[in-house]
Structures are given as structure tokens and as C-alpha cells.
Amino acid sequence: MRDRGLIFTGLVLFLGLITFPVWYNLASGTSSKPPELKLPTTEKQCVAPTETMRMSHMEMLITWRDQVVRQNDRTYVAADGKRYDMSLTNTCLKCHDNKAEFCDKCHDYAGVKPYCWDCHIDPKLVQRSKG
Amino acid sequence: MSALYSLLTVLVLILLAYFGVAAAHLGVLFGTVIPFAAIAVFLAGLAYRVVKWANTPVPFRIPSTCGQQKSLPWIKQGRLESPSSTLGVMGRMALEVLLFRSLFRNTKAELRDGPRLVYGENKWLWLGALAFHWTFLVIFLRHLRFFMEPVPRLVNLLADVDGFFQVGAPVLYVTDLVILAALLYLLFRRLRDPQIRYLSLFTDYFALFLLLGLAGSGVLMRYFTRADIVAIKELAIGLVTFSPVIPKEVGPLFFVHLFLLCVLLAYFPFSKLMHAPGVFLSPTRNLANNNRMKRHVNPWDYPVKVHTYAEWEEEFHDKIKAAGLPLDRE
């Protein structure tokens, strides 16, 4: 069987495909720098430590949703005893008022598409349409 | 016993990575040196073996067929089971590679009362294998979101479809459930039946436990212990752009996940996992069954030195004659 040409073509194709991310990042000039967030200036303290928020905010938000929608319980007691209103729009987005510069930055970077925004609205967009 | 040894091996690997990072702070070793080495071994080893296979002579057509070969016009040919053309071979290969047709033909034999030997269908292996391989592909492609920036639309679309049911946050991927179920079934299949258990070797279990560890650590990170995926993407992008970084937010469990992947990659070219490229290079599958239509002359034939009877008689002519034996040529 004289199929060496075919086999080597297949091998090169495979090697090209498996290393595709390398070429892709090279072409789009990607660096390993993480996205830079616009942090709120009004508050110093979030409802939980930064590390927890970075890793588990989605878990907290879904718990909040269930608490509010199913139990009608709107009060969140933080670890330091401070009470917050369980609300994405009124609590989270009050400080983190720029969705595009805060939420979307990491979500787009990590390829996450949360369905929060199926119901909730970006306050920035509402203001713009009003004005 | 071999199952236990391979489980222990994988557990040792897990502990090695976990405590290597958590206690010994070998983040650079587990996050940079080992991944690069593993990828290099994978690519070089795979290429080496495929090139070696490509250089192996296959002078004749040796397809193992299971259908009627092309014959007289009124005899129906099994076009996919015994293909006689390149197109037929491509169809047969596509069925094998994409749908595991040969596993679909799997049978079981059972000794019933009587005693009576009964053969029956056995599709579970096929289903388990198909479920595992396809979900593994989807998970592999989904992971490209960590290696490519900006994330390609197709990868996002795949994640959307996979998380279609929108259970919890982060959303549950169906493939995560399916791959664990399939791997556990494939493991259970080996352990349950005494005959298969007798045939199973260390390497059979090792691949399964390794993949279970890999999938398990990923599931654990995504749904239970949490991981900082932005930091993980930083690390991953650092690897594929050859400017490695080890962000301090990355937890030890991630290094377990990465280390198991590295072990899998480095182990791949030297193990039975090479069936992936091997299926394409199997002469029993990728050749057309046209032995009766075309004459295949071995291109490596060389002239063999022969000594015919006529020559032999010529050589011993006088001696044969002296002994009074009959000669062909006087």
C-alpha cells in the first residue's frame, strides 16, 4: 500500500488542529493578561470577601433568587452581621453600576453567558432610553 | 487486583499534584514544566508512532469483511460491509470512526440450562463507548474557551446547547453527567463479569480511572468546590502563548485536574489509547476488498535465487548416469 502521502497529510492536519489555539491566539495577538474591571468607588465593602465573590457569586445569586421568588425572604445577613436587600438590581448593581465594564468583562473572557439578563435589565440601558 | 493497583496509582497521582501544590508550592512545576513536557511527549510520541505505522509495508489487501463481496451482477454486494471502491471504504470508515459500527456488532455468549450455549445481542458496550467518546469530544471543544481569546462563537454555542436545561448556576452541562455515567458503566462492565474481569489488565483500568479522575475533578471544581476560572484562563492562555503565568488564585484542585490531563497526554502515545489514530491506519478496515478485481503485486518482491530440477540434473548428470538412474534429458 502506497498511502504514505495520505497518512502524512492526515498527521499534519491533526497536529495543526490540535495546536489550533496557539495559532488562533497568535493571530489575534492575545496576551495572558486578565480583563481589567471597573470597580465601584462608592462602597469599600462587598456582601462577601473578594475571593468568595470571584468564585461563588453565581451560587449566591441563584440562592438569592430562590429565597426571594420562592420564600419571599429578602434579607441577606452577611458574615459580618450586616443586612442587605437580596436584589441583583438594587443591591449588586447599585455599586457595580456598569454591567459592560464589570459583569461582562469576565463573563466574555471566560465564555460564560449567565441568563440573569433574560429577566433583569441593565440599569444603564434604561437610563439611556429615558434620556 | 489490577483494578485496585490502577486505582491506587491514580490516587497517588492525585495526591502528588494536590500536595505538590498545596504543601510543597510546586506551582511552577505542575502548572508550567509538566504541561509543556506532557504536550511535547504527546505530539512527538503520536507523530513517531504514526510515521512508524506509515512505513510498515502493507503489500496486499487484507480487509476483514463481513458482507458479500462484489461478484456477479445479480449477487447483491454488501457495499459498506465489503467495499470494493474508495468511496465504499470511506463510508465504512466513517461508520466505524463516528458510530463504532464494529462495537454495534458485539455479541454475548451465555451458558443456559440444558446445558445450552446461547448467543445474543449486546449493545451496552457500544452505547457506553459512544456516549463516552462523543461527550469527551464535546467537553474537549468546550474547554477551548479557556485556551482562546476572544472565545470563538462556535465554542460558546456548544456550551449553550450543552447547558440547555439551565439547571443551577453555574449551569449544569449534560455532557458532564453523561461522561461520568458512561465511564462508570465501562468500569462496572469490566468488574461485573468474571470473564471480562479475567481479561482486564492494569492498563484497561488505568485509563478508566484516569479519565474518571479527570472528569471527576472537573465536575468537583465546577459544581462543588468552585474555582476561579478567570485565573485559570490566565494560566491556560499563558501556556498556549508560551508566556506562562501561575496566578495565585488558582487552587490545588485545578492542578490535580491539569496533572491528570498531563499524565493522560504523556501516556497516550504509548498505550492502547492509540486506537484513535490506529483506527484510521488499520489495513483490515481501510482497504477495499478488490482482490478479485485487481491484481496486487507485492512492490517489495525481489528476485529469489532458485535451483530448478533441470539445473540440478545438469549438475549431477554424470553421477546419476553412473548409478543407472533414469534421466529426464539424455
Side-chain angles (χ1 to χ4, degrees):
Chain A
M1 198 174 58
R2 298 280 192 188
D3 282 346
R4 245 172 262 178
L6 200 64
I7 297 171
F8 291 146
T9 312
L11 183 63
V12 169
L13 206 68
F14 171 76
L15 293 179
L17 274 179
I18 204 86
T19 52
F20 181 63
V22 176
W23 316 122
Y24 181 88
N25 290 325
L26 207 65
S28 37
T30 307
S31 73
S32 60
K33 264 215 176 110
E36 275 170 31
L37 303 182
K38 211 173 154 190
L39 293 171
T41 44
T42 47
E43 280 288 335
K44 282 269 170 282
Q45 182 72 46
C46 196
V47 296
T50 315
E51 202 179 307
T52 316
M53 291 312 287
R54 273 184 73 124
M55 295 204 277
S56 305
H57 63 277
M58 65 303 263
E59 207 173 41
M60 176 183 278
L61 285 173
I62 206 113
T63 319
W64 282 19
R65 183 197 69 179
D66 292 351
Q67 289 277 319
V68 170
V69 176
R70 296 183 189 158
Q71 262 93 49
N72 191 25
D73 175 9
R74 285 192 162 267
T75 322
Y76 174 71
V77 185
D80 60 358
K82 215 172 158 193
R83 281 164 189 279
Y84 293 94
D85 185 24
M86 282 190 198
S87 168
L88 176 68
T89 318
N90 295 333
T91 306
C92 304
L93 292 175
K94 201 178 83 192
C95 308
H96 303 286
D97 56 356
N98 200 334
K99 173 175 171 282
E101 291 290 315
F102 187 77
C103 309
D104 293 350
K105 273 280 171 73
C106 285
H107 288 157
D108 288 346
Y109 182 69
V112 180
K113 258 198 262 168
Y115 56 93
C116 312
W117 315 105
D118 289 3
C119 307
H120 289 271
I121 41 161
D122 179 1
K124 272 273 161 71
L125 292 178
V126 182
Q127 280 168 11
R128 210 173 299 152
S129 64
K130 265 187 202 161
Chain B
M1 268 331 259
S2 48
L4 210 61
Y5 284 139
S6 46
L7 176 64
L8 279 177
T9 312
V10 173
L11 285 178
V12 167
L13 291 174
I14 290 173
L15 293 177
L16 209 67
Y18 193 90
F19 289 106
V21 173
H25 305 292
L26 295 170
V28 177
L29 178 69
F30 284 98
T32 305
V33 179
I34 292 178
F36 277 135
I39 292 166
V41 168
F42 172 72
L43 295 178
L46 189 124
Y48 168 74
R49 293 212 49 189
V50 169
V51 168
K52 219 173 136 188
W53 284 338
N55 286 322
T56 305
V58 184
F60 298 119
R61 303 272 150 158
I62 50 166
S64 58
T65 60
C66 39
Q68 173 62 48
Q69 77 167 318
K70 191 174 165 75
S71 176
L72 298 166
W74 43 270
I75 298 176
K76 201 181 167 206
Q77 181 201 358
R79 282 176 190 282
L80 287 168
E81 312 292 4
S82 184
S84 57
S85 63
T86 309
L87 197 70
V89 168
M90 278 155 74
R92 188 178 191 218
M93 287 301 288
L95 277 181
E96 183 61 35
V97 171
L98 302 174
L99 299 172
F100 306 167
R101 178 144 175 83
S102 60
L103 278 187
F104 194 71
R105 213 175 268 116
N106 187 32
T107 54
K108 65 177 169 199
E110 248 175 47
L111 205 55
R112 297 232 176 116
D113 286 342
R116 197 159 57 96
L117 188 60
V118 181
Y119 294 95
E121 285 191 343
N122 190 1
K123 303 275 186 252
W124 287 105
L125 173 63
W126 170 78
L127 194 67
L130 203 68
F132 162 70
H133 282 86
W134 276 105
T135 47
F136 194 86
L137 177 68
V138 171
I139 291 171
F140 178 83
L141 292 176
R142 265 201 344 252
H143 273 74
L144 288 178
R145 73 184 170 118
F146 294 117
F147 293 95
M148 293 160 101
E149 176 59 32
V151 183
R153 203 172 298 166
L154 205 66
V155 174
N156 277 332
L157 186 74
L158 200 62
D160 275 357
V161 174
D162 205 349
F164 177 77
F165 292 106
Q166 298 194 333
V167 178
V171 275
L172 176 77
Y173 287 136
V174 176
T175 47
D176 284 353
L177 288 182
V178 175
I179 199 169
L180 284 181
L183 281 170
L184 284 173
Y185 167 71
L186 292 174
L187 180 66
F188 173 68
R189 186 188 76 93
R190 286 196 181 278
L191 293 173
R192 179 191 50 181
D193 187 16
Q195 280 104 324
I196 303 177
R197 198 162 63 226
Y198 182 77
L199 290 171
S200 298
L201 304 172
F202 175 86
T203 51
D204 297 322
Y205 293 112
F206 181 66
L208 283 174
F209 281 123
L210 200 61
L211 287 162
L212 268 172
L214 192 62
S217 58
V219 163
L220 214 58
M221 266 192 295
R222 180 174 172 85
Y223 304 105
F224 300 101
T225 63
R226 289 274 106 74
D228 191 330
I229 56 169
V230 171
I232 286 171
K233 180 155 184 177
E234 237 183 293
L235 190 149
I237 290 276
L239 285 178
V240 289
T241 54
F242 300 101
S243 47
V245 275
I246 311 288
K248 60 180 189 320
E249 292 94 347
V250 180
L253 191 60
F254 169 75
F255 285 100
V256 171
H257 190 65
L258 184 65
F259 184 57
L260 289 180
L261 174 74
C262 292
V263 172
L264 184 72
L265 281 176
Y267 173 70
F268 196 96
F270 312 103
S271 67
K272 64 177 210 153
L273 302 176
M274 277 301 278
H275 67 264
V279 69
F280 293 98
L281 300 188
S282 305
T284 51
R285 294 201 182 286
N286 65 14
L287 292 171
N289 183 18
N290 57 5
N291 277 316
R292 295 194 172 182
M293 295 157 63
K294 283 191 189 134
R295 180 155 186 246
H296 299 284
V297 178
N298 185 352
W300 292 278
D301 263 350
Y302 59 95
V304 179
K305 220 181 147 199
V306 289
H307 195 51
T308 61
Y309 177 76
E311 285 164 357
W312 181 83
E313 201 186 75
E314 189 78 29
E315 193 181 337
F316 297 102
H317 181 268
D318 298 339
K319 289 196 169 79
I320 298 169
K321 197 157 190 193
L325 293 170
L327 283 162
D328 277 1
R329 248 173 7 141
E330 212 46 61

